[in-house]
Amino acid sequence: METAGEQGVRIGLSAVVIALRDRKACVLTIPGDDGAAALPFGPFDPTRDRTFELALRAFVTAQTGFRLGFVEQLYTFGDLGRGSPRATPGPERHREVSVGYLALTADAADVPLAEARWTPVLDIFPWEDRRDGAPACFATLVADLAAWAADDPRRQARIETLFATTPSHRWNEGRVLDRYELLYEAGLVAEAARDQDRPSPAAAPGRAMASDHRRILATGLGRLRSKLKYRPVLFDLMPATFTLSELQGAAEAVAGLSLHKQNFRRGVERTGLVQPTGRLSPATGGRPAELFRVIDGDLSTGETLGLPLPAQR
């Protein structure tokens, strides 16, 4: 869409579609123009599309064969030159604006179109996976950040706060976007080098994405992690029946944390969100585990109904 005058505005729609596959949180991706993974995205046509959401649903299905369920608007991304695919100012006369949406689904079957795939989220953000302690890339990443910070106390404070590099700071799993943007500012992710026409860092962590899609995904993952604590969004990723171990595994896959088993189960019981079905799961590989289901009713309203995230110490 263009406005009058020299510079127009082109509005696009981006979808962060998250599901669980093989005990991993995965995002639906397609190949981008530069060969990197991209979120499903497409232009909004004001002469054809009645609403943003209807346009989003149509092009996600057209690009992947996947039909969206519930979606919520995430954020509007409008940095100058973001469609160049740079996130810094470029020579384009159009201002690229993308409206991001977050969608969760329990239907993680193979997508019908061969080019679309489910990509593990923590392959894109490996520093966000703390289920087994600090990930392999963490020490190098922190050292590179420290070299970038040098003697700047403000930079040092941001590193300590976001990456919990001192005992006085606690890892906040919801600050995914802040950590990614710090790494971008420090030039430690491939997108930063691409946008500044520099060679990519030799050890740039994680999988780069097209345009600013890794930033959009970071926003979606951070939103989802934060919502775990105050809304029962995790159940949107679960099948109709599940064991408590499967529920805990799903929470760990999304949060990137190892959770205390007994404390997690006690917390789930206190919420009153699930009830036993009276049946056992045959797929546990050991002692049969009881199957649970979500209580009847609308969980989107009422008081805080999040699930506990009691991390292991």
Side-chain angles (χ1 to χ4, degrees):
M1 181 179 75
E2 296 188 11
T3 61
E6 292 189 359
Q7 179 171 311
V9 175
R10 182 180 294 123
I11 296 178
L13 306 171
S14 302
V16 177
V17 185
I18 293 181
L20 293 171
R21 283 172 65 93
D22 301 323
R23 301 178 71 87
K24 296 178 181 178
C26 296
V27 61
L28 188 61
T29 62
I30 60 174
D33 292 339
D34 58 358
L39 300 171
F41 67 99
F44 174 75
D45 185 345
T47 64
R48 179 194 64 200
D49 299 321
R50 187 162 62 88
T51 68
F52 283 177
E53 185 177 322
L54 289 175
L56 178 87
R57 291 179 183 278
F59 75 69
V60 168
T61 300
Q63 292 176 11
T64 70
F66 185 84
R67 295 188 179 276
L68 293 177
F70 172 79
V71 299
E72 67 173 76
Q73 193 169 125
L74 188 61
Y75 194 74
T76 299
F77 303 85
D79 290 358
L80 280 171
R82 59 169 299 277
S84 44
R86 312 179 197 286
T88 52
E92 297 74 19
R93 302 176 72 86
H94 285 88
R95 182 70 173 265
E96 298 283 347
V97 175
S98 178
V99 182
Y101 283 81
L102 175 65
L104 308 179
T105 179
D107 178 12
D110 291 340
V111 286
L113 300 186
E115 290 189 337
R117 64 191 63 233
W118 292 105
T119 301
V121 171
L122 296 179
D123 286 359
I124 299 170
F125 304 109
W127 57 86
E128 294 291 338
D129 187 359
R130 302 181 67 86
R131 288 173 294 180
D132 296 316
C137 67
F138 196 75
T140 300
L141 208 57
V142 169
D144 290 343
L145 282 169
W148 168 75
D151 296 323
D152 187 329
R154 290 174 297 181
R155 288 181 173 182
Q156 292 171 349
R158 290 170 65 197
I159 295 167
E160 292 172 0
T161 299
L162 293 175
F163 285 86
T165 57
T166 66
S168 60
H169 293 89
R170 177 184 175 277
W171 180 264
N172 183 337
E173 68 278 0
R175 299 191 69 176
V176 183
L177 177 62
D178 293 331
R179 282 187 286 272
Y180 174 73
E181 290 193 326
L182 180 61
L183 293 173
Y184 183 98
E185 183 181 340
L188 297 178
V189 290
E191 290 90 338
R194 178 202 66 198
D195 295 346
Q196 298 167 22
D197 290 321
R198 295 187 290 103
S200 179
R207 294 187 56 178
M209 298 187 74
S211 188
D212 57 352
H213 288 197
R214 189 148 50 152
R215 180 183 175 217
I216 297 174
L217 177 56
T219 305
L221 179 60
R223 169 81 64 86
L224 176 57
R225 284 180 167 185
S226 297
K227 290 187 74 169
L228 288 179
K229 298 178 181 180
Y230 64 88
R231 281 289 179 263
V233 292
L234 190 63
F235 296 120
D236 291 329
L237 300 172
M238 302 301 294
T241 61
F242 47 83
T243 68
L244 292 183
S245 291
E246 290 169 340
L247 185 65
Q248 179 175 336
E252 292 176 335
V254 172
L257 299 173
S258 176
L259 304 179
H260 189 282
K261 179 178 178 180
Q262 295 305 322
N263 288 346
F264 177 80
R265 294 191 174 199
R266 281 194 289 266
V268 171
E269 292 171 359
R270 282 197 296 270
T271 66
L273 294 174
V274 300
Q275 61 187 29
T277 64
R279 296 183 288 115
L280 300 179
S281 170
T284 57
R287 182 180 177 182
E290 188 168 18
L291 286 168
F292 288 77
R293 67 178 182 87
V294 183
I295 61 172
D296 294 328
D298 183 3
L299 300 183
S300 65
T301 59
E303 298 180 357
T304 298
L305 291 172
L307 290 172
L309 296 178
Q312 296 275 18
R313 299 297 181 190

